[in-house]
């Protein structure tokens, strides 16, 4: 069984429960949607689609949610942990101050106690810890001296001189 892809960026998204859609979509968006089930979350940072429904073709854009989708924003506030209210800037401040952040362990502890409400609060309908680690790792990368980048970024030029429009995988 193949995973249905985001119609805009072609990324593979995971399927959401209807609860995520009904909790986080603006009311006028809910009124517009013909279904609540079968939506998938698009994980691509620079794709404005948050949810897509492959059977009906319906999509919900990040501006149509009640919350900001921190993983798809470059300007603060960028909420990452919706259950316990942590913003990307908090993790970045921790890393720049002390080289690491204690918040992820704190979040994991609260999840273990069953205090998380990811399906209701997080637009991706799942635990934020993967995103948290991504943000922390990116912040650590910025803090460390950048390693030399030997030619890995140089794109092949096609023989006819037309360059392929490759997806930007810069993180
Ligand atoms: Zn997408």
């Amino acid at each position: 069984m193949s995973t249905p892809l985001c119609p805009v960026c072609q990324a593979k998204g995971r399927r959401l429960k209807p609860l995520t859609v009904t909790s986080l979509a603006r009311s006028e968006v809910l009124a517009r949607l013909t279904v609540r089930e079968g939506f998938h979350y698009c994980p691509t940072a620079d794709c404005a689609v948050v949810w897509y429904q492959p059977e009906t073709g319906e999509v919900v854009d990040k501006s149509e949610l009640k919350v900001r989708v921190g993983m798809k924003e470059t300007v603060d506030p960028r909420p990452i942990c919706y259950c316990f209210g942590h913003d990307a800037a908090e993790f970045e401040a921790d890393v720049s101050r002390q080289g690491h952040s204690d918040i992820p362990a704190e979040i994991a502890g609260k999840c273990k106690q069953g205090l998380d409400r990811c399906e209701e609060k997080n637009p991706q309908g799942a635990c934020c810890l993967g995103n948290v680690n991504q943000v922390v790792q990116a912040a650590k990368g910025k803090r460390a001296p950048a390693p030399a980048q030997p030619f890995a970024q140089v794109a092949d030029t096609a023989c006819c001189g037309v360059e392929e429009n490759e997806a930007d995988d810069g993180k």
Side-chain angles (χ1 to χ4, degrees):
M1 219 168 77
S2 69
T3 313
L5 308 179
C6 171
V8 172
C9 73
Q10 315 302 323
K12 278 184 193 175
R14 61 188 300 284
R15 192 184 168 109
L16 303 167
K17 295 206 168 145
L19 175 65
T20 306
V21 174
T22 54
S23 305
L24 297 175
R26 293 184 188 277
S27 55
E28 66 269 24
V29 176
L30 279 180
R32 182 194 83 205
L33 297 176
T34 60
V35 291
R36 306 283 183 270
E37 306 211 340
F39 276 92
H40 291 63
Y41 173 80
C42 168
T44 305
D46 57 5
C47 180
V49 172
V50 181
W51 303 323
Y52 59 95
Q53 217 293 8
E55 286 148 47
T56 65
E58 289 168 290
V59 296
V60 178
D61 189 277
K62 64 182 183 180
S63 66
E64 300 182 306
L65 269 64
K66 292 179 195 163
V67 295
R68 278 168 71 85
V69 182
M71 294 303 286
K72 289 176 180 278
E73 299 292 346
T74 53
V75 174
D76 290 334
R78 290 163 294 151
I80 303 297
C81 171
Y82 293 83
C83 298
F84 310 117
H86 296 292
D87 204 273
E90 286 179 60
F91 301 105
E92 290 163 359
D94 277 355
V95 170
S96 84
R97 192 175 59 240
Q98 58 191 21
H100 69 276
S101 175
D102 295 322
I103 303 173
E106 207 179 282
I107 295 171
K110 288 180 183 167
C111 291
K112 222 172 240 177
Q113 294 173 55
L115 300 173
D116 56 303
R117 309 278 296 281
C118 312
E119 288 176 349
E120 191 182 330
K121 299 203 158 195
N122 191 320
Q124 71 181 11
C127 182
C128 66
L129 276 176
N131 306 141
V132 165
N133 287 328
Q134 225 177 302
V135 170
V136 169
Q137 289 311 317
K140 284 183 178 173
K142 270 180 210 158
R143 188 176 188 253
Q149 297 271 333
F151 309 119
Q153 313 274 351
V154 177
D156 286 344
T157 306
C159 57
C160 58
V162 179
E163 287 183 34
E164 275 187 13
N165 199 4
E166 287 191 14
D168 178 17
D169 61 355
K171 295 273 150 67

